[in-house]
Amino acid sequence: MKTGADMKIAGKTVCVFVLLAITKVTRTVGNNRVSVTVGKSSVLACPPKSNMTMVTWKISPKAGGPCTLGYRADQNKTDRTNCSDSMNWKSRPDWDPALEIRQVGIAFEGNYTCEVVATEGNFHKMYHLTVLVPPRLTVYCDNHGNPVCKAAAGKPPARVSWVLESNSTPEEEGHDNGTVTVLRKFTAYSTNMTNTTCIVSHPAGTWSKSIACHLSGNNAIFKYAFIILCFLSVITFTAVIYYFKLHRDRLCHRTKPPEIAPTHSPQDDTMEVEPYTTYVQKENVIYNSVSDLTVGQNLPQGLSPAT
């Protein structure tokens, strides 16, 4: 029993010793977040240790593949793999192993780790680099006479507000490069406005700009009258087209009246026969008269034609 207990104690002691050794050999010196404005330079420190034998920067950006910068003291040699020219040692790595990033771009955003190997152990220091993109501020008046404040292509999205109270809601539009445009309108409570100021807040800075938008009553009346006139014109034009189309369809579908066959009545036959009958009768009367006269002339004297 005693031997078993001693073995358990010895096992625990060995485990503790191993953990302490690992802790001594590998140490992580912080995990920091760094923000830098696009286009500027940034320096990431890596504390130098006495009797350094090797220093390595391991970079994992969000865009593109990973890259490494290395230094070996025993060969007094540096090397780089897949790193852009904008990333390099700030000075001699045996004096100061800090990393310098010149003209930071959005693609440089990501994780940066410095690993130092020395006689007293291994050390790591990690950074998370965030790139800030200041928005472009513009203020203008829309077609309704309302002020509009626009913070274009900012990263992260900017906060847009008006000095005067406004119940409008900001609108956001994302872009492929990770920037965001924020637009916010100010709704005027009357047609006559005083100056109003837009304030844009961003981690890269704060900006403000004032504007005065004015839409007079006469212009508003003219605008509404023009809209009503256009609406009435459209209705009238549509009605005229519909009327002509309907009238044309009626003309096209109108049928030709049927031809009526002439009727033949007995009266027409009578009217056609009566002139001939009258003519024959007159001819007979004339013939009879002539016959009578001829007969009378041929009779002997003393005889006269019978009446």
Side-chain angles (χ1 to χ4, degrees), residues 169-202:
T169 303
E171 302 174 5
E172 294 187 0
E173 179 185 359
H175 306 289
D176 295 337
N177 59 357
T179 60
V180 179
T181 296
V182 181
L183 185 143
R184 188 165 191 172
K185 296 181 180 180
F186 179 85
T187 304
Y189 296 101
S190 63
T191 55
N192 296 322
M193 286 189 53
T194 57
N195 289 353
T196 183
T197 302
C198 172
I199 299 177
V200 174
S201 301
H202 191 265

